[in-house]
Amino acid sequence: MMRAFSYVLLMGSSFFLLYACTKGTNSSSNLQGNWISRSDFDGVARSEAVSFVIGDTAYIGTGNDGTVQLNDLWKYDVDNNYWIQRASLPGDARNSAVGFSTTTKGYITTGFNGLVKVKDTYEFNPVQNTWTRKADFGGSARTDAVGFGIGDKGYVTTGNDGNALKDFWMYDPATDQWTQKVSLGGSKREGAVAFVYKNQGYVTTGINNGQTVNDLWVYDPAADKWAQKRFISNVSTDTYDDSYNVIRSNATAFVMGDNAYVCTGENGSILKTVWEYNFASDLWAEKTGFEGLERTGAVSFTVKGRGFLGTGRNSTYRFDDLKEFFPTQVYNAND
């Protein structure tokens, strides 16, 4: 999913040891939620990777290790808490691509190969552990777009092809065709997040013209229509949004139950804060921050109703950790 780079040198090894060993340093006793470490991602540490879920299995692939683009793919067994490497993407290694899935297949498209932006599309068959090249993405080659799957269709929007974008494309695996749909409303953006709830796709956060955007949109494929939800920053005269600090770019998001979670990312600095979105009320509440180092360019996924976040980078390091979020648990610094 998909990033401006800045680098800061930490001064002194003793400072680093103290900081790295402090779990959830931004966690507050009045925030609810708890993060628990799971098996580290078996691939090399990376950022700007993609993730997708097919059935009850999550996959992470591609990205950048700080030196080169990557094309490997790994699956996570949530029941047994381990990783297995699968067939590598046969196209260009890349970062800042898009991953999405239908009910039976996974897809990777767009991204940056180290020289140019690309738009080739590949389909992953988990049963055969094979990749097949499909029709090129219908829009322009781009980075930092978002994608999501609903039923047997895939959708891609936003990103940057030299300019921020908000065009919207549907992929039909049955015909291997991309069709342009009605564009996302509101701001163009790159580095946004997307998530799906009850067969509708949501897009929010991101950056355009050097500024974070604050709108939230939901797409209904049955009506082929976007609708705007409440803003994600404090812009109303009511009190419900007085504490909102959701806006950011290069974040990641996942859905658990009747809530979505927007996590990490950047907005002036690199973040570890977590915000919960309630679909019924269209309201946000802050949760316990990610209990690891702050990061941007991470990935997340939901499997069997359980939410996970891993990989990413901060101003100094790339990561290979994986943590699971329990939104109703009390924060525990010692688990």
Side-chain angles (χ1 to χ4, degrees), residues 37 103-104 119 124 129 208 212 301:
S37 293
T103 53
T104 59
K119 58 185 291 185
F124 178 69
N129 187 29
N208 184 31
T212 49
F301 52 83

Side-chain angles (χ1 to χ4, degrees), residues 85-160:
Q85 188 168 11
R86 309 304 287 161
S88 295
L89 180 76
D92 289 348
R94 66 194 66 197
N95 62 270
S96 304
V98 168
F100 62 87
S101 57
T102 61
T103 53
T104 59
K105 305 285 174 54
Y107 298 85
I108 293 178
T109 189
T110 68
F112 179 67
N113 70 5
L115 295 174
V116 296
K117 298 176 175 68
V118 296
K119 58 185 291 185
D120 47 342
T121 301
Y122 294 85
E123 176 188 83
F124 178 69
N125 183 320
V127 176
Q128 299 177 358
N129 187 29
T130 56
W131 290 93
T132 303
R133 183 161 183 176
K134 295 297 184 177
D136 286 356
F137 172 62
S140 56
R142 65 190 63 192
T143 59
D144 294 322
V146 295
F148 53 86
I150 299 177
D152 60 352
K153 304 290 193 301
Y155 299 87
V156 174
T157 186
T158 69
N160 187 297

